[in-house]
């Protein structure tokens, strides 16, 4: 497995949220290979293997993307749109992290694009439980798409 | 008069005439015959007389010769000559008289030579005498044949007389026969005539009687008719009077009223119409309304005419042009007049001028439009402001949520990973930090929810509240498994509402009920519907701790709470949210409660009243949850 292989891409601007998420993932032994993108632009660079991430290959996409909606520069829905428009990134599962039920409503409107969504609760225990289940589901249960899907990159 | 009698009359008259004429003709012919017969009788007497005269003449002539011969007196000679002429004359007369009788003519022809011969003998005797010769012998020789001749003449005359007398006899008989016939015929004819006259009289009399009777009947009929004519005339006059009165009444009306016939020619034109249009009655009668008033119709005239024929009336607004050329708008009502046979005879048109009203209406419309426009502007400005405010609220709540999450999250990590360093007191303090954080998180979430509810567009559908409330109850039962809670669901109606929001109403109200019945065993929670002052309301009732109605006005205020947080947790936003949803459904919400005796929340929804018949009955007792 090459060293730039990443299991989870976390796109999150808030360091606190990122740290709490990483902490939760770590506690569930899921944080081995996580890349944290701090804004939308970096998230896109990572996904589309450009800029600082031009050395990456579409052949090794993350197994899941945890995507915050409210992001500086490029927001989460735009990232989702671009991912789903491009056949190279379309198969990557996306879990949207919403900070309110209102945002959850918005995501429901993009249901075709997002594979799942999780509302970040104020109660950290609940959040951690949600992240644990998500991580397990996407990392363990869910079979990632076969490599051939990415061959065009 | 009867039919057969009628046809009998000409024939009767003809027959009568024939009878009378026949009788008269017969009588007349008989009379003619009788007259003729009488004439013939007289004629025969004349003939006989003339024969006697002839005989006498013959004797007279012989006597004259004798006298002359004896006396020589010339007077005898004159007599002889006269007698001789008379004989000739008588002979001629006889010949003429018996011209019709060949037998007598023959006798006369035989007689004539005898007479001539005798006269010749006499002449010779006279000549002998005149010659003064011895004449006795000669005279004697002449006298003897003369006497024979005379004898023959007399015999001939006798024969003729006999003949004539036979004729006389026959003719007299015939005359007598005619007379007898006359005596029969005349009375018979008269009798026939009398009979006919009597018959005619009888018939005439009968006819007269019948005619009189018929005339009487005709007279009665004529009188009846006249009576009816008088009555009808009186009726018509009364009607005309009524109509005149009505027309006078119509003149009192301010509305213009006119009547036009099927060709739209004006038949009646009241004073109101004169005042409205400026045309006098005598100027418009017979004119066609639509061209006189330049009527503008709101729909095609043929359609209007079809309408009025079908329904008998029509109403609409028309534009008319007055005599002075100005246009007016009228509220026009037409009524179809029908004749006794049901066919249309005309149209009564009643027009009220509404030009001013139309203008006012137009003005009102303009004002309304302006107003609406301003309201729209104001509304959209307000909506904009509200939207901004809500966006602000949402963003604030949003932004507040993140740090809370972080405080809680890091607190939790601290609690777990540094528990030993903190010690029990530190852990307890950290617990309180986290509880406060979580409460604030709930507050923020509830606020966000309230804001969401307020902004949400209603998506109303027909909803079965029984199912909806039942599902909420099922969800809540899971949270009170360790308690004894009895849910009672009465029959609920079907209502057109936003099911998501109404679910929230039931969730909040029922969750409150569960919460405030915590000290009760058993807790009894009811949902149902009831009549409140004639209006139907849905309710959620419990036997919980209740509250004092003193504070009822604070129930629906944001963050207002009637209980201490250590007794009953809560944010004070739930009921506000319920109220907001009920108001969005054009409903009303109120509460009835008493301290320690439970509370009941009533609410109405738009469309609840109309849906009464759609409710589905549900057995009493409802759903029970027992812990």
């Amino acid at each position: 497995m090459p060293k730039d292989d990443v299991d989870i891409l976390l796109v999150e601007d808030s360091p606190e949220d990122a740290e709490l998420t990483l902490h939760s993932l770590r506690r569930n032994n899921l944080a081995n290979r996580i890349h944290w993108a701090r804004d939308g632009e970096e998230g896109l660079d990572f996904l589309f293997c450009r800029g600082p991430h031009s050395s990456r290959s579409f052949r090794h996409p993350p197994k899941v993307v945890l995507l915050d909606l409210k992001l500086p520069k490029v927001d989460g829905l735009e990232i989702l749109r671009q991912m789903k428009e491009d056949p190279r990134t379309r198969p990557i599962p996306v879990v949207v992290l919403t900070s309110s039920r209102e945002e959850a409503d918005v995501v429901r409107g993009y249901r075709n694009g997002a594979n799942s969504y999780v509302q970040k609760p104020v109660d950290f225990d609940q959040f951690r439980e949600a992240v644990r289940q998500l991580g397990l589901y996407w990392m363990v249960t869910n079979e990632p798409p076969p490599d051939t899907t990415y061959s065009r990159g | 008069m009867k039919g057969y009698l009628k046809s009998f009359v000409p024939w009767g008259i003809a027959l009568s005439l024939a009878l009378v004429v026949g009788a008269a003709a017969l009588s007349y012919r008989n009379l003619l015959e009788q007259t003729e017969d009488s004439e013939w009788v007289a004629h025969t007497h004349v003939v006989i007389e003339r024969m006697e005269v002839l005989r006498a003449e013959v004797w007279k002539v012989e006597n004259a010769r004798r006298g002359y011969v004896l006396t020589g007196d010339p007077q005898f000679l004159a007599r002889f000559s006269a007698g001789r002429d008379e004989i000739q004359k008588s002979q001629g007369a006889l010949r003429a008289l018996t011209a019709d009788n060949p037998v007598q003519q023959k006798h006369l022809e035989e007689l004539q030579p005898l007479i001539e011969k005798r006269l010749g003998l006499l002449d010779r005797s006279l000549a002998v005498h005149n010659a003064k010769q011895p004449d006795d012998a000669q005279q004697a020789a002449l006298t003897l044949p003369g006497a024979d001749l005379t004898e023959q003449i007399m015999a001939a005359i006798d024969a003729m007389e006999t003949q004539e007398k036979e004729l006389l006899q026959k003719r007299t008989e015939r005359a007598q026969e005619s007379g007898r016939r006359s005596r029969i015929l005349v009375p018979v004819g008269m009798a026939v005539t009398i009979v006919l006259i009597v018959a005619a009289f009888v018939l005439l009399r009968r006819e007269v009687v019948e005619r009189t009777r018929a005339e009487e009947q005709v007279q009665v009929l004529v009188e009846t008719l006249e009576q009816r004519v008088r009555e009808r005339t009186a009726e018509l006059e009364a009607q005309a009077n009524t109509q005149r009165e009505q027309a006078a009444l119509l003149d009192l009306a301010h509305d213009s009223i006119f009547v036009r016939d099927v060709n739209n020619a004006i038949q009646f034109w009241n004073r109101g119409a004169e005042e409205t249009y400026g045309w006098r009655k005598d100027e418009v009668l017979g004119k066609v309304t639509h061209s006189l008033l330049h009527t503008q119709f709101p729909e095609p005239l043929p359609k209007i005419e079809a309408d009025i024929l079908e329904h008998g009336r029509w109403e609409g607004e028309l534009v008319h042009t007055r005599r002075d050329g100005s246009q007016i708008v009228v509220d026009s009502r037409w009524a179809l007049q029908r004749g006794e046979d049901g066919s249309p005879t005309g149209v009564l048109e009643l027009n009220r001028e509404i030009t001013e009203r139309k203008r006012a209406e137009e003005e009102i419309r303009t004002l309304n439009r302006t107003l609406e426009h301003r309201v729209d502007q104001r509304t959209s400005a307000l909506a904009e402001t509200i939207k901004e405010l809500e966006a602000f609220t949402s963003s604030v709540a949003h932004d507040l949520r993140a740090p809370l999450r972080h405080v809680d999250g890091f607190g939790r990590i601290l609690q777990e990973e540094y528990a030993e360093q903190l010690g029990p007191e530190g852990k307890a303090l950290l617990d309180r930090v986290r509880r406060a954080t979580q409460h604030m998180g709930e507050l923020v979430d509830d606020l966000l929810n309230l804001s969401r509810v307020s902004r949400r567009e209603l998506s109303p559908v027909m909803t079965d509240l029984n199912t909806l409330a039942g599902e909420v109850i099922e969800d809540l039962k899971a949270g009170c498994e360790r308690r004894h809670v009895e849910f009672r669901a009465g029959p609920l109606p079907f209502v057109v509402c936003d099911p998501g929001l109404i679910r929230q109403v039931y969730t909040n109200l029922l969750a409150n009920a569960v919460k405030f019945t915590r000290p009760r065993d058993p807790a009894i929670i009811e949902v149902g519907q009831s009549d409140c002052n004639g209006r139907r309301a849905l309710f959620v009732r419990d036997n919980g701790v209740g509250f004092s109605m003193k504070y009822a006005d604070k129930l629906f205020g944001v963050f207002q709470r009637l209980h201490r947080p250590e007794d009953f947790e809560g944010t004070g936003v739930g009921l506000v949210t319920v109220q907001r949803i009920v108001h969005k459904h054009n409903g009303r919400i109120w509460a009835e409660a008493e301290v320690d005796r439970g509370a009941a929340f009533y609410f109405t929804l738009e469309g609840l009243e109309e849906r009464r018949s759609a409710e589905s009955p549900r057995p009493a007792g409802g759903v029970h949850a027992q812990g």
Side-chain angles (χ1 to χ4, degrees), chain B residues 517-534:
Chain B
T517 54
R518 206 179 291 146
R520 297 286 182 268
D521 185 18
I524 298 168
I525 297 169
E526 282 177 277
V527 293
Q529 55 179 332
S530 70
D531 264 336
C532 291
N533 303 324

Side-chain angles (χ1 to χ4, degrees), chain B residues 530-604:
Chain B
S530 70
D531 264 336
C532 291
N533 303 324
R535 294 176 65 193
R536 208 146 57 126
L538 304 165
F539 66 82
V540 174
R541 187 157 46 208
D542 62 58
N543 64 343
V545 297
F547 54 86
S548 164
M549 288 301 281
K550 228 173 5 182
Y551 307 114
D553 57 326
K554 294 193 170 166
L555 269 178
F556 302 104
V558 183
F559 301 135
Q560 295 283 350
R561 305 206 65 235
L562 301 185
H563 301 276
R564 284 179 294 198
E566 58 265 39
D567 295 336
F568 296 100
E569 71 288 348
T571 58
V573 183
L575 280 180
V576 189
T577 310
V578 167
Q579 188 192 41
R580 199 67 62 86
I581 293 170
V582 169
H583 285 176
K584 277 178 93 78
H585 282 84
N586 293 321
R588 208 165 66 84
I589 182 162
W590 68 99
E592 284 171 8
E594 211 175 318
V595 175
D596 280 334
R597 306 195 71 159
F601 285 85
Y602 295 88
F603 64 98
T604 62

